[in-house]
Amino acid sequence: MAQAWYATREDVRSALSSASQARDDAQIDREIEQGSLDVDSLCSRTFQPRLATYVFDWPSEQTPRSWRLWLDQYDLIAPTQILSAGVLVPPTDYNLEPANEGPPYRWIETRLDRPSAWSSSSTWQHAIQITGWWGHSDNQRPAGALAAAVPSTTGTTVTVTDSTAVGVGDLLTAGAERMTVTDKALVDTGQTLQAPVAAKKDEVLFQVTDGSAYHRGEVLTLGAERVRVRDIAGTMLTVERAYDGTLLDSHSGDSIWAPRLLTVTRAAAGTTAATASSGTALTRWVPPAQARTLTIAEAMTTLLSEQAGYARTIKATSSGTRSVAVSALELDALRQRVYDALGRKARTRAV
């Protein structure tokens, strides 16, 4: 997953009220990736954070002031090291700008009251090297924890404690490593249903051993039926039966499964793969809300267009009871709002 995703597979499925079908996953994933590319193209920037080193010429033809370094198309979140002509520029000697708006930062100024200055040695080419986190923003939210240790730096699966906090396409952080989630699979939670339930829609109370091991909104599998947890009280789960297009079934002592096994791409966003112990806290990167919304809209539009043979009027149906019309005017208006909020604007300067 080279291109950062600004929405998850679950986001798009929820927007479409679509049951989870493996045969659709590749199509949905493809459109999310394309939608994210469309957002990048519209805004002329990349939003996902990445750890990298970039080089800049000094002096630069576009730098009229000796203390100001423009970062051009590279948005800076937080530098970890700045070298000028091979000499370290300490954090006390520069200002990240615009100070009152960033991150992202678009230029750096050496402080006029400090000794450091931009300079070059034998050549002006690549005279300045900046290592750090680049991108639009690095907002993180809790995403549960590792339910099992990650003993290897080459493994491609991890088990988590909360499947509701992680979606396919998310960028997870465990310690100093970041991982991209590329798929989810069921894993046995280690608990069984403690009291039988009949195949009735109104039998919504499921007794388990430990309710604290589950989460509101989590989709559980018992036999061939999926249920969605709506509430938790002690050892009782209130669930929505026959969820995700599955059929009602009776259960007695069934094992309870949850989609907590993640397939991941290790060492994502420029980080290094590392081992991690069970219980390590996880966080996930949260893209700007406008970028997420537009990515979902772009993916939905393309999916519905494909299903309708790119007809002028596009409709999606869910169980034959609801339809959603995709309006080109509404989508164009959304694109404009996203560009106004997040798009990179042309820089103007005096001659």
Side-chain angles (χ1 to χ4, degrees):
M1 190 184 297
Q3 165 64 32
W5 286 12
Y6 305 143
T8 65
R9 183 190 295 168
E10 292 80 359
D11 288 334
V12 174
R13 285 201 177 280
S14 176
L16 290 170
S17 298
S18 170
S20 179
Q21 300 177 31
R23 62 184 174 85
D24 295 331
D25 288 349
Q27 182 185 22
I28 290 176
D29 294 353
R30 182 178 68 247
E31 305 313 342
I32 294 173
E33 183 169 349
Q34 182 59 55
S36 301
L37 282 168
D38 291 341
V39 172
D40 281 356
S41 178
L42 173 69
C43 297
S44 298
R45 66 186 352 147
T46 299
F47 292 91
Q48 180 176 287
R50 61 199 179 278
L51 182 62
T53 298
Y54 292 116
V55 295
F56 301 86
D57 297 339
W58 189 266
S60 170
E61 293 180 355
Q62 61 172 330
T63 305
R65 293 177 173 84
S66 61
W67 61 85
R68 180 175 296 165
L69 173 69
W70 288 102
L71 302 176
D72 302 324
Q73 72 268 33
Y74 302 105
D75 290 328
L76 179 62
I77 299 172
T80 57
Q81 178 179 269
I82 299 179
L83 299 177
S84 179
V87 178
L88 179 68
V89 181
T92 55
D93 286 17
Y94 60 79
N95 293 324
L96 302 173
E97 303 290 351
N100 295 326
E101 298 177 16
Y105 301 107
R106 301 190 301 274
W107 72 91
I108 304 176
E109 296 181 358
T110 55
R111 289 180 49 175
L112 301 181
D113 60 342
R114 299 291 298 173
S116 296
W118 305 125
S119 60
S120 58
S121 53
S122 57
T123 177
W124 52 271
Q125 295 173 308
H126 301 179
I128 299 173
Q129 296 183 352
I130 302 177
T131 300
W133 284 97
W134 302 82
H136 179 271
S137 56
D138 193 15
N139 298 320
Q140 301 283 330
R141 287 184 183 172
L146 291 175
V150 181
S152 166
T153 58
T154 58
T156 58
T157 60
V158 298
T159 306
V160 298
T161 59
D162 184 359
S163 65
T164 65
V166 183
V168 176
D170 272 334
L171 180 67
L172 290 183
T173 299
E177 182 186 0
R178 303 205 177 188
M179 300 174 281
T180 304
V181 181
T182 59
D183 209 351
K184 296 171 73 173
L186 294 174
V187 64
D188 193 338
T189 65
Q191 296 193 44
T192 58
L193 199 62
Q194 298 298 294
V197 294
K200 297 180 180 180
K201 195 73 172 178
D202 60 353
E203 289 217 15
V204 296
L205 294 179
F206 280 34
Q207 185 174 357
V208 298
T209 306
D210 179 11
S212 66
Y214 301 96
H215 308 273
R216 290 182 180 87
E218 191 161 30
V219 177
L220 308 176
T221 298
L222 297 88
E225 182 184 1
R226 290 178 181 171
V227 299
R228 183 176 183 270
V229 179
R230 302 181 63 181
D231 205 357
I232 303 170
T235 61
M236 300 301 295
L237 308 181
T238 302
V239 302
E240 178 182 350
R241 300 291 301 271
Y243 187 76
D244 219 7
T246 58
L247 298 177
L248 277 170
D249 197 3
S250 59
H251 307 284
S252 179
D254 291 21
S255 295
I256 304 173
W257 295 68
R260 299 177 183 176
L261 180 65
L262 310 181
T263 301
V264 296
T265 299
R266 304 290 300 276
T271 61
T272 301
T275 60
S277 59
S278 177
T280 297
L282 298 173
T283 59
R284 64 179 181 89
W285 172 68
V286 181
Q290 302 97 325
R292 174 181 176 271
T293 298
L294 181 55
T295 299
I296 294 171
E298 296 283 7
M300 287 177 61
T301 299
T302 305
L303 285 164
L304 296 177
S305 295
E306 290 178 351
Q307 293 171 8
Y310 290 93
R312 293 180 63 87
T313 301
I314 305 166
K315 291 185 178 180
T317 61
S318 173
S319 303
T321 59
R322 188 174 68 90
S323 66
V324 179
V326 178
S327 168
L329 291 177
E330 292 176 357
L331 184 57
D332 285 343
L334 176 58
R335 289 169 179 154
Q336 185 61 52
R337 292 198 300 271
V338 172
Y339 176 76
D340 291 342
L342 300 174
R344 181 188 294 277
K345 312 304 188 293
R347 190 174 78 238
T348 59
R349 56 190 175 94
V351 178

